[in-house]
Amino acid sequence: MPKAYEEIADDIRRSIREGTRKPGDRLPSEADLAQHYGRSVPTVQNALRLLSEEGLIDKRHGRGTFVRRPRTLAVRDNGRHQWEKNRARAPEATRAETGVTEHDTGLRVDDLVFYARYREIEAPDELAAVFGVRVGTLLLERTYRTRYAAESAPFSLVTSYLVREMIAANPDLLDETKEPWPGGTQNQLHTLGIEVDRVEERLTARPPTPEEAKALDLPAGTSVILLRKTSYDIRDRVVDVTLVTLPGDRTELLFTTSLERW
Amino acid sequence: MPKAYEEIADDIRRSIREGTRKPGDRLPSEADLAQHYGRSVPTVQNALRLLSEEGLIDKRHGRGTFVRRPRTLAVRDNGRHQWEKNRARAPEATRAETGVTEHDTGLRVDDLVFYARYREIEAPDELAAVFGVRVGTLLLERTYRTRYAAESAPFSLVTSYLVREMIAANPDLLDETKEPWPGGTQNQLHTLGIEVDRVEERLTARPPTPEEAKALDLPAGTSVILLRKTSYDIRDRVVDVTLVTLPGDRTELLFTTSLERW
DNA sequence: GAGTGGTCTAGACCACTGT
DNA sequence: CAGTGGTCTAGACCACTCC
């Protein structure tokens, strides 16, 4: 026994994949679709919800249902880490010109709006273990939001953790009003004589929580990519842990792995 | 005006986050919840669907609704590429012992069931551009499915493309019955004198298509990670393009970037 | 067979959008 | 204001699971 809402969804999905309906096209109203398929409105809504969850359509209250346009804007390249390291010892003027974010997006500093908040917290179990410190050790938690000047939602949620004691020798690093810091975290660590040796990034993906969907202005039918970046210095200490939440429909991550020559 | 189904969803979501309801717990039946909240059954179903999309609960027909257990099984590490390169020149006995998949998952060859299909296709626009060949050039398309012996669904969908002319010198490479090939693609290329220099991996995430959900046996409320791997040889030619679809709830990707010393 | 979730209806009323 | 999607009801019947 074929399920009515799946049949309707299959039919519309096919029309989108085949190109009969193009990105940006408006679908008939739910009432019209109900009549066309000889079903009730809730059944049609059921079908449309399925397609919405798959990311194929956008429903807009009061306006209609539209075929979604695919999009990917920012590319985040792991070459950024070497790039940032090279900049860490450059003169301030050079560092202030362009940051990693502009390096990623190809935009200029003026196109972006930056926000940072610092807070001190006591290390919970998990972070204490990663940093190799006792539970309760003071950490500096730094929260960042960056968005396009033209848009209202940030394009990533970033939280970074540092061990307070490790960086306290430079009081400027505890002061959120010094952000955005020219040259980024690697330059900040450089002022303390810390050299970053390697960066580990762990990735997973899942549907957004309601809070994430709201903060990143994500439509239904999108995923978030969770990135956990751990920086090690040349003495193999963990010097920074950063958690990043990225919108799956607007982000591409690029990792290049160079191999040793034979 | 608060929406009833959101209030119900918020209430249950809170109970899960706070730990009042633990992973594996069964929720009351929809009828019971409807009575408890003084709402109709469809409204309760609406709330539960929301939580299901978020990946918090699992609905199982005829059995009940359960708090989902988080899981991550396989870790895919970009160290795998150097590891595979080192093996590419090893004796066959060594190569046959362990493949990259076992390297990733920590399992033994016996725990896995392997499947491969080869097919020749004419290069479409996009692949032709990547390989730097004319549209219509013959490519070898290799489709792989690997699954745990104990489970029915594979844990990834893999499709690899090679330029037929580039590999035809070794007829064994055109024969799917030679799979699984000890030492993997890098050893296959090595038999032709091709040395892989670097690997580029591009990642995005999105909800699964119905086909992907079925093939990977994905429950509602999960995402897929799409990985597109491009291998370059030491002459900077593209020698392999591989598309991988991974279940977001069972996979963690790990990338390590080493930086040059000062 | 009892209990669970899955599908569907017919219709009401609300909320948002654009004219 | 007309048209659109959003929410909700009360109840029917089906399909799956387990005892």
Side-chain angles (χ1 to χ4, degrees), chain B:
Chain B
M1 165 96 67
K3 281 170 266 179
Y5 78 102
E6 280 193 354
E7 286 192 323
I8 299 173
D10 286 348
D11 191 51
I12 298 175
R13 190 186 299 110
R14 192 182 323 114
S15 74
I16 294 175
R17 286 188 180 169
E18 287 175 355
T20 315
R21 297 183 200 277
K22 297 185 178 50
D25 282 2
R26 216 201 76 182
L27 268 58
S29 74
E30 296 179 346
D32 288 353
L33 288 170
Q35 186 170 20
H36 177 260
Y37 290 106
R39 295 291 175 172
S40 70
V41 167
T43 297
V44 167
Q45 288 177 319
N46 229 315
L48 294 181
R49 203 191 48 241
L50 214 62
L51 299 173
S52 171
E53 284 167 26
E54 289 166 24
L56 284 176
I57 61 172
D58 263 327
K59 305 189 82 176
R60 295 193 232 158
H61 196 167
R63 298 192 48 195
T65 303
F66 300 82
V67 179
R68 186 177 291 179
R69 303 168 193 278
R71 57 178 188 166
T72 294
L73 303 176
V75 175
R76 184 192 155 110
D77 174 354
N78 74 331
R80 75 211 304 273
H81 303 125
Q82 182 65 54
W83 187 91
E84 192 187 323
K85 179 161 182 175
N86 295 343
R87 290 242 157 171
R89 293 190 299 176
E92 172 157 358
T94 311
R95 300 195 317 259
E97 265 171 43
T98 327
V100 245
T101 307
E102 296 85 31
H103 177 243
D104 283 352
T105 54
L107 297 170
R108 285 177 320 122
V109 179
D110 299 343
D111 301 327
L112 298 169
V113 179
F114 189 86
Y115 161 100
R117 282 298 170 274
Y118 285 14
R119 197 164 69 97
E120 293 189 5
I121 63 161
E122 299 190 348
D125 279 18
E126 199 212 358
L127 282 171
V130 175
F131 280 113
V133 298
R134 284 196 317 283
V135 173
T137 303
L138 276 185
L139 302 180
L140 182 67
E141 178 187 81
R142 309 182 298 169
T143 306
Y144 301 98
R145 294 293 119 94
T146 311
R147 62 176 174 85
Y148 297 112
E151 294 182 6
S152 58
F155 51 75
S156 66
L157 310 176
V158 180
T159 308
S160 155
Y161 296 93
L162 301 167
V163 176
R164 198 202 124 99
E165 191 195 8
M166 195 186 289
I167 59 163
N170 183 351
D172 282 352
L173 299 188
L174 301 173
D175 179 359
E176 68 186 22
T177 67
K178 303 288 183 187
E179 294 275 7
W181 185 285
T185 300
Q186 286 209 47
N187 177 265
Q188 292 179 317
L189 294 170
H190 173 55
T191 67
L192 301 161
I194 295 175
E195 176 182 352
V196 176
D197 175 61
R198 67 182 198 281
V199 176
E200 258 186 26
E201 290 168 290
R202 289 173 183 273
L203 293 165
T204 56
R206 58 163 173 70
T209 63
E211 292 81 5
E212 288 164 345
K214 196 180 167 208
L216 294 169
D217 193 22
L218 295 174
T222 55
S223 301
V224 293
I225 298 171
L226 301 177
L227 188 155
R228 182 199 174 107
K229 182 183 107 186
T230 311
S231 301
Y232 294 82
D233 77 351
I234 56 175
R235 287 160 54 199
D236 213 35
R237 285 186 307 175
V238 172
V239 292
D240 174 62
V241 173
T242 302
L243 307 177
V244 186
T245 307
L246 298 161
D249 63 333
R250 276 172 275 172
T251 315
E252 183 174 85
L253 298 160
L254 168 61
F255 292 94
T256 304
T257 309
S258 291
L259 305 180
E260 294 164 16
R261 291 289 176 96
W262 282 334

Side-chain angles (χ1 to χ4, degrees), chain A residues 235-251:
Chain A
R235 288 160 51 199
D236 213 33
R237 284 186 306 176
V238 172
V239 293
D240 174 64
V241 173
T242 301
L243 308 177
V244 186
T245 306
L246 298 160
D249 64 334
R250 277 172 274 171
T251 314

